[in-house]
Amino acid sequence: MASSNLFFDDIRNKPEVIDPPQNEDLTDIGESVNDPTQTAIKPNVTVSSSVRELLECPVCLNAMYPPIHQCSNGHTLCSGCKPRVQNRCPTCRHELGNIRCLALEKVAASLELPCKYQSFGCIGIYPYYSKLKHESQCVFRPYNCPYAGSECTVIGDIPYLVAHLKDDHKVDMHNGSTFNHRYVKSNPHEVENATWMLTVFSCFGQYFCLHFEAFQLGMAPVYIAFLRFMGDDNEAKNYSYSLEVGGGGRKMVWQGVPRSIRDSHRKVRDSFDGLIIQRNMALFFSGGDRKELKLRVTGRIWKEQ
């Protein structure tokens, strides 16, 4: 019996999110329910905790979507976990086979539930099988902390994250749409995957994050600077920015559109969507004996008409 519990615990420690598969046997649900502008506001629907528990996979603890499997004793399991338990029911250890729990699937199809981001402002009510898709696109879903210098797990809306960046990460806050920063590194030949988010800019009633990072591109050390918008991508496209670095009568200029913080810092960096400076060029711009990095990066943000 002890070995069964160990097996069950091991499976539960490895959750897997499964997209709900299409199922022709279920009631057809219109796509309009996933559009916040088209979803009618309905009275709040209370679903008993016992029904919620019935729809919870006993292994990954996520909500179950078709096909929902059951063993001969009636214990249910989601389709994602079935191959992971080696075709054995995690509750009674009987062989699972290919029995499908159509009754539970139909019960789920009859439910309407509030969005899990209700506390963030979403007031829509969605059919069970549309709820997951809506939540993946919900405009009220919280943002991840954009600070790139640590694995911060804080989430929240923009005002909360701005305060968090200032108070917890001690990030410099700057009012205005222009900037002039100097980056100094005493030993530029030691390039770690170090990240600095130097400033949060407040302008045009919005917030922007400026990143500067040294990292390895293959065997070559490079520096990259880029801007992220604290909001969604559709709003970020209303703005543009430019970055400029130079020295010794030469300069490099980058112009682009800030990326939404919905895109992770690493995703933006790895797409090279910013001002990229090779180390030799950076040392040339630094002047002197090339033993110390001294880069001055200037730039501005503007709103497109």
Side-chain angles (χ1 to χ4, degrees), residues 5-280:
N5 291 334
L6 288 173
F7 173 80
F8 183 62
D9 291 340
D10 181 64
I11 294 294
R12 291 181 64 169
N13 288 331
K14 300 176 182 177
E16 182 177 354
V17 177
I18 304 296
D19 291 330
Q22 298 297 320
N23 177 24
E24 297 177 355
D25 296 334
L26 294 176
T27 304
D28 183 39
I29 298 170
E31 285 298 317
S32 62
V33 296
N34 297 302
D35 185 349
T37 64
Q38 298 180 25
T39 302
I41 304 305
K42 305 175 183 178
N44 198 2
V45 179
T46 301
V47 178
S48 68
S49 59
S50 60
V51 174
R52 290 178 182 269
E53 290 172 3
L54 283 174
L55 291 166
E56 184 180 88
C57 174
V59 176
C60 65
L61 304 182
N62 292 323
M64 294 188 288
Y65 294 89
I68 298 175
H69 298 278
Q70 70 175 29
C71 73
S72 57
N73 289 326
H75 302 124
T76 55
L77 185 72
C78 78
S79 60
C81 289
K82 183 173 182 267
R84 299 165 62 195
V85 298
Q86 301 172 2
N87 206 38
R88 290 283 178 182
C89 174
T91 303
C92 66
R93 305 301 296 147
H94 281 200
E95 186 174 349
L96 282 171
N98 291 305
I99 307 173
R100 186 165 165 181
C101 190
L102 295 175
L104 188 56
E105 291 177 6
K106 290 181 179 179
V107 168
S110 69
L111 300 178
E112 291 185 329
L113 302 171
C115 172
K116 72 176 181 180
Y117 300 124
Q118 189 177 51
S119 62
F120 288 92
C122 183
I123 57 177
I125 303 295
Y126 299 90
Y128 183 85
Y129 292 131
S130 297
K131 181 173 175 285
L132 192 65
K133 181 178 179 181
H134 160 76
E135 289 171 347
S136 70
Q137 304 168 347
C138 180
V139 296
F140 292 97
R141 69 192 190 280
Y143 298 88
N144 294 318
C145 172
Y147 188 73
S150 65
E151 296 297 325
C152 184
T153 59
V154 168
I155 62 172
D157 59 18
I158 299 304
Y160 178 83
L161 289 180
V162 169
H164 164 69
L165 289 169
K166 180 181 178 181
D167 298 336
D168 298 328
H169 293 300
K170 310 303 180 186
V171 171
D172 291 333
M173 314 301 287
H174 177 78
N175 291 318
S177 58
T178 61
F179 44 91
N180 185 336
H181 282 298
R182 193 179 188 206
Y183 304 91
V184 178
K185 187 173 176 62
S186 59
N187 188 353
H189 295 281
E190 293 181 2
V191 179
E192 317 87 15
N193 284 317
T195 303
W196 305 272
M197 187 177 77
L198 293 182
T199 308
V200 170
F201 295 92
S202 174
C203 55
F204 307 108
Q206 306 289 348
Y207 292 94
F208 301 82
C209 301
L210 177 66
H211 296 265
F212 182 83
E213 180 176 352
F215 71 104
Q216 292 285 150
L217 181 58
M219 297 298 292
V222 298
Y223 302 93
I224 184 171
F226 56 88
L227 200 71
R228 286 203 291 166
F229 175 75
M230 296 188 70
D232 283 332
D233 185 61
N234 62 327
E235 296 179 88
K237 292 176 181 177
N238 295 324
Y239 301 90
S240 295
Y241 74 101
S242 63
L243 296 171
E244 181 178 312
V245 62
R250 282 91 168 171
K251 68 179 179 180
M252 296 174 63
V253 179
W254 163 266
Q255 181 173 320
V257 176
R259 296 279 287 272
S260 165
I261 60 171
R262 295 283 189 205
D263 289 336
S264 69
H265 156 267
R266 182 176 293 275
K267 181 178 180 179
V268 179
R269 187 200 73 179
D270 291 350
S271 67
F272 313 124
D273 193 0
L275 175 65
I276 298 178
I277 314 160
Q278 301 291 335
R279 184 176 65 183
N280 287 339

